[in-house]
Amino acid sequence: MSQELNILGISAAVTFGFQFCGFLAAYALQTEMFYDIFGGINFLALGIYTAIDGEYQGGAWVEDPRKATCTAIFCCSRAWLLIFLAWRAHERGGDSRFDEVKNNFGMFLFYWMFQGLWVFVISMPIILVNGSDIPYDGFSVLDWICSIAFGLAVLIEVVADVQKSVWVKAGREGGFCTVGLWKYSRHPNYFAEMLQWWAAFGFAFGSGTGWDDVQWWFSILSPLLTMQILLNTGGTGVANANGKSLKRYYDKCPEEYAEYRKSTSILIPMIGYKNVPMFLKRTIFLDFERYEYRPSEKSE
């Protein structure tokens, strides 16, 4: 078995084994308080394990600029996720998603195993980079573009999360957030999360054998799953933040919010969004009609 496949298999075992241990503890204690925290720790464990086990020809992984760069950015990204989710869990004092499932063995187990699947799939580009036995021969133009985009996306997500949290703590002045990056994007944090995994996927290309590398093609599931969760899955991401969830804004400040929505990109931070043709907004800008608020919709 090749080094790449061996590390891929062990990574899957580590991920799901870690999740199962977390599930057993959570089910026994009947709590969901450390569910998100386990996900963050799992990411970091994968990044560290694959970096160490992927050392090739006796050289330390930190001596390989490709592996060192990718692992450093990945760990910064997931360390922030861990910190943010731990803080959020503490602030909320629980998670209503689990009120009806944490006493159901099968359903609660499904939630924990799905999180393991999420961690593993999202990490696939990093697993490929760290598991590669292809000697480093310098950064290509694509490597530079993707590594910069990867790091920039992490920075955007951290800044956006901090700006929104400070705004909330200050009393939600204005009714909806328009501070910092939120002036130029309605969801800069989600944009950054999606950008990260497209950049990681692109960066991983140089660690494969080229366009015929099956593992590299499979790693496209990382950005695709991220987009599926954030754009289409109810209860989270853009899908959850729009539609009927917009009622509170239209009830409190309808004209102001309508203008903000019209002139502010749903994802990509930019100026001049008001002048973008509607057919482009509904396609490449992902500002789909289903995200609009319909007064007839009932809020939960």
Side-chain angles (χ1 to χ4, degrees), residues 261-263 265 270-288:
R261 192 172 179 84
K262 180 180 178 180
S263 60
S265 169
M270 61 178 290
I271 58 175
Y273 188 69
K274 180 186 294 188
N275 301 317
V276 175
M278 182 58 68
F279 80 92
L280 291 179
K281 292 182 178 181
R282 294 292 191 236
T283 53
I284 63 174
F285 284 91
L286 307 178
D287 200 346
F288 302 130

Side-chain angles (χ1 to χ4, degrees), residues 35-50:
Y35 176 80
D36 286 332
I37 296 173
F38 252 69
I41 295 175
N42 208 337
F43 273 118
L44 292 176
L46 272 187
I48 294 170
Y49 157 69
T50 56

